[in-house]
Amino acid sequence: MSKPIVIAGGGIGGLAAALRCASSDVAVQLFERAKAFSEVGAGIQIGPNVTRILKAWGLDSAVQSVAAFPDFLRVRQAQSGAQTGQLRLGLTAVARYGAPYATIHRADLHDLLLQAVHEQARAQLILNQDVTGYAQQTDGVSVQLANGEPMMAKALVGADGLWSKVRAQLLGDGEPRFTGHLAYRAMLLQSELPAALRTQNVTVWMGPRLHVVQYPVRRGELLNLVAIVHGPAPSDMTPWDHAANAAGLAHALGDICADLKALIEAAPEWRLWPLCDRVPLRGAHQQAQGAVALLGDAAHPMRPYMAQGAGMAIEDADTLGRCLALPGADVPAKLAHFAQLRWQRNARVQQRAIRNGQIFHAQGLLRWGRDTSIRLMGEGLLDVPWLYGGP
């Protein structure tokens, strides 16, 4: 039997890569260290650059059945409540980019990818098995599993997240860095909220050293709420999900307007996510070397201020599948081509996410300049054609 492509990690990026490769008739074995596939209770935004790919994969109906499709993204000031500007989404996004802007529960996106992979005869999913290391050889990669003998693969794809073991061996560049930002997140049932707090649109509340974002998920039945503030790192950074208390968040937010305060107080419970990232990619060698490649957070973890973490992983997966399906060249050459196609775009999104965080949390004159620019330029400033129109 021909050797498979091995994928380490069964998150959104790993499943997307397995689906794209298997659908291109590339044999895949995906190893996930957990005993069951699952995703955390959080929402994500997926722009037209992502929904366009999911539609090409035949997942448009699945996405339509679980996602929400906001008509607007509105920017409001956290202290006064005043609206600074807005970006039309909905049919406007479809007309501009040929695909919609969607908001979706992470678990729903993960589940629809998982179901699609299960339908692929060329994909095999193995739970409770961790990829701990590898050895590159002339005819492929020897992949070491946590509780088994090494296995031979054509290639190894590290989709094992922020604390990637594949990356640690490939690049040896240390641990991710703490950004100094903390994300408090909550999920609210819209039917239980007062009518004034319900919404089917995206709202970004900006304040000094903070911002809050809200948007619907699961067909609009749930409201995802994330508040990002500045603060110290938890004592243990490895688990990204921590219990949090409302009093700590209220203190960090300070004096906010009545509308936002009511929304924050409506949340039944909060979880805490310390935000980590890495220096933006500096070259293709950081995404592939020989028969080993990195994808998603393992390659380019990024701050959430472009709402593109999952999006870049799905773009990676699509490009990886296309490159591996190319005729002729050997696998290392195909992975080198993949890295050349991806690293600059990923680096650009990483850089813009860092810059956006500075703008979102601006103080003083920079804050005044931000608000004035949004009022004057509106959609011309809030829209991102190079991102949504790509890759």
Side-chain angles (χ1 to χ4, degrees):
M1 295 179 63
S2 61
K3 297 185 291 291
I5 302 294
V6 166
I7 298 173
I12 288 172
L15 288 176
L19 174 61
R20 185 61 178 85
C21 291
S23 65
S24 297
D25 202 31
V26 176
V28 172
Q29 286 189 336
L30 183 151
F31 294 94
E32 166 56 44
R33 66 181 180 181
K35 294 181 180 180
F37 285 107
S38 64
E39 259 294 352
V40 296
I44 54 176
Q45 302 176 65
I46 50 176
N49 56 308
V50 185
T51 55
R52 186 185 307 111
I53 291 172
L54 296 176
K55 182 177 181 179
W57 292 355
L59 298 177
D60 187 47
S61 295
V63 172
Q64 291 280 343
S65 70
V66 295
F69 299 90
D71 288 323
F72 295 97
L73 181 153
R74 295 191 169 101
V75 180
R76 296 180 66 180
Q77 296 187 30
Q79 277 68 38
S80 69
Q83 180 168 308
T84 309
Q86 72 175 21
L87 171 66
R88 289 172 295 167
L89 302 174
L91 294 177
T92 302
V94 175
R96 285 176 178 169
Y97 303 114
Y101 192 104
T103 52
I104 189 169
H105 199 297
R106 287 187 68 94
D108 292 339
L109 177 58
H110 187 272
D111 186 61
L112 68 86
L113 289 169
L114 178 61
Q115 296 306 314
V117 173
H118 278 312
E119 296 172 3
Q120 294 293 328
R122 298 285 278 166
Q124 183 181 9
L125 305 178
I126 301 98
L127 289 166
N128 198 27
Q129 185 68 277
D130 193 16
V131 173
T132 59
Y134 65 87
Q136 297 219 46
Q137 300 182 5
T138 56
D139 58 346
V141 184
S142 175
V143 179
Q144 180 61 54
L145 304 174
N147 55 354
E149 295 294 323
M151 64 167 292
M152 286 301 300
K154 286 183 180 178
L156 170 63
V157 178
D160 47 345
L162 182 66
W163 303 90
S164 169
K165 294 178 182 177
V166 178
R167 181 190 181 111
Q169 182 174 342
L170 186 70
L171 301 181
D173 56 352
E175 296 183 346
R177 62 183 183 181
F178 176 56
T179 63
H181 296 179
L182 301 170
Y184 288 79
R185 56 188 180 83
M187 193 70 70
L188 293 72
L189 189 63
Q190 297 233 51
S191 62
E192 296 181 355
L193 292 174
L197 296 182
R198 300 174 192 171
T199 184
Q200 295 301 320
N201 293 307
V202 182
T203 301
V204 181
W205 306 78
M206 294 185 183
R209 291 170 60 85
L210 66 92
H211 85 282
V212 180
V213 61
Q214 64 181 88
Y215 52 82
V217 297
R218 196 160 288 166
R219 299 168 297 275
E221 297 162 14
L222 299 175
L223 183 66
N224 186 71
L225 184 60
V226 183
I228 299 182
V229 299
H230 295 215
S235 56
D236 183 4
M237 292 291 293
T238 306
W240 72 273
D241 188 25
H242 300 256
N245 64 76
L249 175 58
H251 181 266
L253 291 176
D255 185 19
I256 54 177
C257 69
D259 288 350
L260 180 55
K261 185 176 182 181
L263 184 63
I264 295 295
E265 291 177 347
E269 63 179 3
W270 293 92
R271 305 297 296 179
L272 179 62
W273 174 14
L275 298 182
C276 297
D277 70 351
R278 290 185 182 273
V279 173
L281 293 170
R282 294 169 175 160
H285 68 283
Q286 291 182 296
Q287 276 215 251
Q289 295 180 24
V292 178
L294 299 174
L295 177 150
D297 282 353
H300 42 75
M302 57 187 64
R303 304 181 191 191
Y305 307 121
M306 289 287 287
Q308 283 290 324
M312 290 301 103
I314 290 171
E315 284 192 11
D316 280 350
D318 190 56
T319 303
L320 177 70
R322 287 190 288 110
C323 288
L324 287 175
L326 291 172
D330 60 16
V331 169
K334 293 177 180 181
L335 293 184
H337 184 48
F338 155 75
Q340 285 290 346
L341 290 173
R342 289 301 305 161
W343 81 267
Q344 290 177 317
R345 181 167 168 87
N346 287 324
R348 186 178 185 184
V349 176
Q350 285 179 292
Q351 292 161 353
R352 285 290 295 268
I354 293 171
R355 192 190 76 171
N356 276 7
Q358 296 166 346
I359 294 172
F360 286 8
H361 294 194
Q363 305 177 80
L365 285 176
L366 181 58
R367 179 186 177 194
W368 177 86
R370 174 200 69 199
D371 293 342
T372 301
S373 297
I374 293 175
R375 289 191 189 99
L376 293 175
M377 299 176 64
E379 291 193 348
L381 191 64
L382 296 174
D383 201 7
V384 196
W386 66 264
L387 177 64
Y388 299 146

